[in-house]
Amino acid sequence: MYQKFFKYGIVGATAAVVNFVIFVLCDRVFEIHYLLSGVIAFVVATYWNFILARKMVFQSKYRSALTESMLVYLVSAVGACVDIGVLYVCVDMLGLDSIFAKIIAIGVAFIFNFGLRHFVIYRE
């Protein structure tokens, strides 16, 4: 499990960069509301993470990439709720800057998503 967590950490780091860049573009450049920016960034980063994790970390047991991706997005929907929830609490309740809040949200969602993928989708 530790080796998978390390590999997922590398994949997750690249997905975190994608998540953060998309969020900053949406939030600061296109001036989309920070919560919608968070959703857009999370969806794009989840797809990025799915593609890389499927190739580098987890052994797929599904015949269909569509079925597997649907499970990943279903599990990630819960992760998105965690991500957006943390973002909301940090910005609206704690008054933190949305960029700093997004960094915190990415970290919390990373741990949550790894656990769900490891123990639910790709359990051995």
Side-chain angles (χ1 to χ4, degrees):
M1 180 170 124
Y2 295 111
Q3 185 178 20
K4 279 186 183 179
F5 186 77
F6 179 74
K7 286 181 182 179
Y8 189 77
I10 293 169
V11 169
T14 65
V17 169
V18 169
N19 193 331
F20 186 74
V21 168
I22 298 294
F23 178 79
V24 170
L25 285 172
C26 290
D27 184 53
R28 298 293 162 99
V29 176
F30 299 113
E31 297 182 352
I32 299 170
H33 189 273
Y34 79 93
L35 290 177
L36 182 55
S37 295
V39 170
I40 293 167
F42 195 86
V43 168
V44 172
T46 297
Y47 181 72
W48 174 272
N49 189 297
F50 165 67
I51 296 298
L52 288 182
R54 189 172 197 247
K55 292 180 185 220
M56 297 176 59
V57 182
F58 298 112
Q59 187 73 22
S60 178
K61 60 184 175 189
Y62 301 96
R63 290 187 180 157
S64 166
L66 179 61
T67 300
E68 183 180 351
S69 67
M70 288 175 70
L71 285 170
V72 167
Y73 269 97
L74 181 63
V75 166
S76 293
V78 178
C81 291
V82 170
D83 183 272
I84 299 304
V86 170
L87 193 56
Y88 174 78
V89 167
C90 288
V91 172
D92 283 359
M93 299 176 124
L94 301 177
L96 300 177
D97 181 72
S98 62
I99 300 297
F100 183 66
K102 184 61 177 173
I103 293 168
I104 295 169
I106 287 170
V108 172
F110 167 81
I111 294 167
F112 187 81
N113 280 327
F114 173 78
L116 283 179
R117 288 180 191 205
H118 180 72
F119 294 110
V120 176
I121 297 176
Y122 300 106
R123 70 177 178 265
E124 295 173 0

